[in-house]
Amino acid sequence: MSETLTIALWATNLEPALSSMDAWAAGVEAMLARAAADGAALLVMPEYASAQWLAFAPALPPTGEIPWLAAQETAALDLLRPLVARHGVALLAGTIPHDDGAGRYTNRAHVLFPDGSHLVQDKMALTPGERDPAAWCLGAGATLKVMEIAGWRFAVVICLDIELPALSVVLAGLDLDFIVVPSMTRLASGNARVFGCAKARAVELMTVVAAIGAIGNRPLSGEAHPNTSGAAVYYPCEEALGFTGLGPATAIAEKAAGAGPYLLCRDLPLGLVRALRHQGAEVWPGAWSAGHLVIEDL
C-alpha cells in the first residue's frame, strides 16, 4: 500500500449553459480523463454540481427545482458509471437531490468507483433555504458512511455538516485518513465558514481535509444565485507537514473561466498523517472524551 494518495478537486463553474445531460456528462468525462492522466485516484465535484442541469430544464417555480433535479438522478448516474470505469478514477459526483419514494428529498452525494461499487452520503444539517417550504424544502440525512479507497478510510461531510461540533465529536472516533467536503456557498462569508471549519477539523481530528465549492451563478427560475468558492486541502499543524496546516489551494472566486478551477493534490501524505494520529504528533489529545468533565456555572 502506498503511503500517499493523489486526488483532484474540480471547483465547477455553474455558469456555462448546457444543452443536455449528455453535454454535462461529456464535461465530467473530460475532467475524469485529466485526473486519470495526472494519476489521481479520486475526482471530487462540489455540492449541487447538478444545479447546472437547470440550464436545460423547463420553466420551473422554486418549489419545482428539487423534484425535477431528483427525477434526473438515475439518468445522470447511468451516464457516469461507464465513464468512471473507463478512466479508472473514482468520482464524487457532487450532490444530487434524491427522491426517497416517500415524498421526501435529500441532498445526496454519490461516490462511484471504477469497480462498479457505488456509495452515497446524505447531508445532515440543512441551510434555511434547503428547509424552506417555499424553496427547495429538503429533508435531512441521519447516517454517516465511512468509505475506503486504496486502503484509506474517508468520509464525505457536506457543506454545513463540517461546521457542526457534535459531528466532529463523532468523527474523532472513526480513525479517518481524510475527509472530503463538497460545498455550495453564495457569499465569501459562507465559504470562509466552511473552509475555516475544514481546517479546524484537520487539526481536531489529526487528518487531511479537502474542501471544494461551486463557482458562479447557477441557472434557476427567479433571482440570480451567485456562488463563491474554490478548492483547498488542509493538514494537521505539525512540523513534519510544514507547520501551518495549509496544503494546495486555489484562489477563492465568484467567477471562473471555462469549466472552473481544477486542483491536483498530488501525493497527499496520508501514511504520515496516520502515523502522527496513532502516535507521534506534537500535541494531540486523540479522541478525548468529556464524559468525566464537571461543569461549574458561576
Side-chain angles (χ1 to χ4, degrees):
M1 175 177 166
S2 172
E3 288 296 297
T4 65
L5 184 74
T6 296
I7 68 173
L9 308 178
W10 175 20
T12 310
N13 179 12
L14 300 181
E15 292 197 2
L18 299 178
S19 59
S20 67
M21 187 67 76
D22 286 337
W24 179 78
V28 176
E29 181 171 24
M31 285 297 182
L32 281 169
R34 182 174 179 179
D38 286 337
L42 173 67
L43 173 66
V44 182
M45 297 173 65
E47 182 184 27
Y48 292 123
S50 55
Q52 200 173 15
W53 305 344
L54 292 170
F56 52 83
L60 296 167
T63 53
E65 291 175 352
I66 289 297
W68 185 85
L69 289 169
Q72 317 311 310
E73 179 187 41
T74 297
L77 294 172
D78 286 346
L79 287 172
L80 294 179
R81 287 190 188 94
L83 304 181
V84 168
R86 180 181 308 153
H87 295 285
V89 177
L91 174 68
L92 197 170
T95 69
I96 303 171
H98 173 74
D99 184 350
D100 71 359
R104 193 182 77 129
Y105 298 93
T106 58
N107 181 10
R108 174 163 290 185
H110 294 268
V111 186
L112 307 175
F113 295 88
D115 66 0
S117 56
H118 176 191
L119 299 175
V120 301
Q121 176 65 58
D122 289 334
K123 188 176 183 180
M124 292 173 280
L126 302 176
T127 66
E130 289 175 308
R131 291 184 279 108
D132 185 355
W136 278 12
C137 198
L138 291 155
T143 301
L144 178 67
K145 309 284 183 66
V146 177
M147 308 182 191
E148 185 174 306
I149 186 168
W152 303 110
R153 291 166 58 83
F154 76 101
V156 178
V157 180
I158 302 169
C159 200
L160 184 57
D161 290 351
I162 199 67
E163 301 179 33
L164 302 180
L167 181 57
S168 181
V169 171
V170 173
L171 293 170
L174 301 181
D175 193 27
L176 297 174
D177 295 302
F178 70 102
I179 295 170
V180 180
V181 186
S183 68
M184 173 183 269
T185 51
R186 294 187 62 167
L187 303 175
S189 53
N191 177 83
R193 286 193 297 271
V194 171
F195 281 43
C197 288
K199 186 176 189 298
R201 299 297 92 84
V203 172
E204 293 171 356
L205 307 176
M206 190 59 65
T207 193
V208 174
V209 182
I212 176 79
I215 299 177
N217 279 299
R218 67 171 173 84
L220 82 169
S221 306
E223 67 181 32
H225 191 301
N227 293 284
T228 301
S229 197
V233 171
Y234 301 105
Y235 301 135
C237 297
E238 294 285 323
E239 178 180 3
L241 297 165
F243 298 100
T244 65
L246 301 177
T250 71
I252 302 303
E254 60 183 17
K255 295 289 183 181
Y262 168 92
L263 180 65
L264 180 65
C265 309
R266 192 181 297 279
D267 295 329
L268 296 177
L270 302 187
L272 173 57
V273 175
R274 179 186 283 183
L276 290 169
R277 184 169 63 252
H278 291 173
Q279 184 176 0
E282 180 185 5
V283 177
W284 187 59
W288 181 80
S289 171
H292 65 284
L293 191 65
V294 176
I295 306 298
E296 294 185 1
D297 188 349
L298 304 178

